């Protein structure tokens, strides 16, 4: 199971990242989506383990979202949380969404820092650089290209 840590001040971008992952992971979101808040997990760590180990229904994957979860190193020593992070389920995508980065989560070996992964995938174009794309439109003063990204370049 991939475990993504998504963080940042902009709530819209955090939610958009969640939606992108959900759209890729789930074919039946209504039946395979579980939401938690960090305070719920701290009070009952077994609930996260139970959600991540449940089998998906009419889909290949389950999708579990935990918001505002800033566990301490001591919290992560709990038997249930150790299992979630050290032996993740193959049929669940776990997304932890915070406004700020949680260093204790980043230290977990199976946690992917979605923000770093996204930044690595973005390419900066420089003047004079040759790019490959599909011409979308040709205007009087510009050419729009589809570079295979989410936006069209001018």
């Amino acid at each position: 199971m991939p475990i993504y840590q998504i963080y940042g001040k902009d709530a819209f971008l955090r939610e958009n990242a969640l939606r992108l992952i959900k759209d890729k992971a789930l074919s039946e979101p209504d039946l395979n989506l579980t939401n938690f808040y960090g305070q719920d997990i701290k009070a009952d760590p077994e609930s996260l383990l139970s959600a991540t180990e449940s089998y998906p229904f009419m889909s290949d994957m389950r999708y579990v979202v935990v918001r505002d979860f800033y566990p301490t190193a001591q919290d992560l020593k709990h038997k249930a949380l150790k299992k979630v992070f050290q032996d993740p389920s193959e049929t669940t995508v776990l997304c932890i969404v915070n406004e700020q980065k949680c260093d204790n989560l980043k230290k977990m070996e199976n946690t992917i820092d979605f923000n770093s992964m996204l930044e690595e995938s973005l390419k900066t174009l420089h003047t004079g650089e040759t790019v490959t794309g599909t011409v979308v439109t040709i205007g009087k003063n510009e050419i729009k290209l589809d570079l295979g990204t989410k936006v069209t370049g001018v």
Side-chain angles (χ1 to χ4, degrees), residues 42-139:
K42 285 191 171 206
D44 182 15
E46 296 288 337
S47 62
L48 181 61
L49 178 60
S50 177
T52 59
E53 290 194 335
S54 295
Y55 289 104
F57 184 70
M58 297 177 63
S59 181
D60 293 333
M61 300 294 278
R62 287 190 49 70
Y63 187 64
V64 177
V65 177
V66 182
R67 297 173 195 282
D68 303 322
F69 184 48
Y70 298 93
T72 64
Q74 189 62 35
D75 292 334
L76 293 171
K77 291 180 182 177
H78 188 282
K79 183 179 177 183
L81 294 182
K82 278 176 98 170
K83 174 107 172 88
V84 167
F85 289 101
Q86 292 178 356
D87 186 21
S89 167
E90 293 293 322
T91 59
T92 301
V93 175
L94 172 60
C95 291
I96 300 169
V97 185
N98 292 323
E99 189 172 324
Q100 298 173 350
K101 178 173 53 171
C102 179
D103 289 330
N104 288 327
L105 288 173
K106 191 170 183 169
K107 293 175 189 173
M108 303 306 291
E109 64 185 71
N110 292 309
T111 303
I112 300 167
D113 184 335
F114 187 81
N115 297 49
S116 296
M117 188 174 72
L118 181 63
E119 282 186 27
E120 288 172 13
S121 72
L122 298 176
K123 183 176 189 277
T124 302
L125 299 176
H126 303 284
T127 303
E129 185 175 351
T130 303
V131 296
T132 302
T134 304
V135 175
V136 178
T137 60
I138 300 175

Side-chain angles (χ1 to χ4, degrees), residues 4-15:
Y4 295 104
Q5 181 182 187
I6 301 168
Y7 58 89
K9 295 276 184 206
D10 191 323
F12 174 79
L13 293 177
R14 291 192 312 263
E15 292 303 314

